[in-house]
Amino acid sequence: MYTSPLREFSRNDYFDKSIINDDMAEYTFDYFFSGKRIGSRKDLIDLFVVTWIMDDVENIFIRYSIYSGDKTSWKDKITEQLKKLMYDINVSKEVASGRLRYFEVETEKYLPTESFEKKFLETKSKMRRFQEN
């Protein structure tokens, strides 16, 4: 039986490319996710992932992606999303690889749908708050 690979179906970035520092070296990052099974099959899922990075002057960069397909690579997709976000905001490949060398996706970062949506809105509000200062 064929199952489709886990693929990105939607991506929204919440950051202004004009405020990105060149080759960011000092930053913090985190993620959280939610998901659900598709239909009656145990191996097909929709995966909702928010990754964010905050630089040393408190600019925050948020990416929200939705994936759908076979669940086997769900942890890899979260790591890949973080890495791509780092590259997109000019973190060098060497720095990004170093920061993610021992990174492991934790199931504790899973949130039920309502909590996921609330945390996403809270994260976005931090972005606006920092930009207003």
Side-chain angles (χ1 to χ4, degrees):
M1 184 178 298
Y2 175 77
T3 58
S4 64
L6 195 57
R7 295 184 311 164
E8 185 177 67
F9 278 90
S10 173
R11 176 194 304 174
N12 290 302
D13 288 336
Y14 300 91
F15 56 85
D16 181 359
K17 289 188 182 273
S18 68
I19 61 172
I20 296 173
N21 296 331
D22 287 341
D23 197 21
M24 284 182 9
E26 295 297 321
Y27 61 92
T28 57
F29 65 90
D30 206 354
Y31 67 96
F32 51 95
F33 64 95
S34 189
K36 63 182 180 181
R37 289 194 173 121
I38 301 172
S40 61
R41 303 216 14 225
K42 293 180 182 179
D43 54 346
L44 295 179
I45 61 168
D46 282 337
L47 176 66
F48 308 92
V49 180
V50 172
T51 52
W52 61 265
I53 296 172
M54 185 182 301
D55 68 11
D56 57 344
V57 292
E58 297 185 333
N59 293 319
I60 191 165
F61 309 94
I62 303 168
R63 177 162 288 162
Y64 182 150
S65 293
I66 300 172
Y67 301 90
S68 188
D70 188 287
K71 71 178 183 179
T72 56
S73 64
W74 71 273
K75 288 183 177 183
D76 295 335
K77 288 296 179 185
I78 293 173
T79 303
E80 181 182 302
Q81 181 174 320
L82 259 171
K83 185 183 294 187
K84 285 182 180 178
L85 178 56
M86 288 179 189
Y87 294 166
D88 288 348
I89 63 171
N90 295 334
V91 175
S92 71
K93 290 187 180 202
E94 295 80 15
V95 171
S97 294
R99 293 292 302 269
L100 294 173
R101 178 171 295 139
Y102 300 108
F103 175 79
E104 290 186 30
V105 172
E106 301 169 351
T107 56
E108 292 81 21
K109 298 286 185 163
Y110 171 83
L111 297 172
T113 303
E114 188 175 310
S115 299
F116 175 86
E117 291 171 358
K118 182 179 178 188
K119 186 161 184 165
F120 173 61
L121 292 175
E122 288 170 357
T123 305
K124 276 180 50 178
S125 74
K126 287 179 187 176
M127 183 178 79
R128 281 194 218 87
R129 196 168 52 238
F130 289 133
Q131 287 177 344
E132 290 170 0
N133 291 338

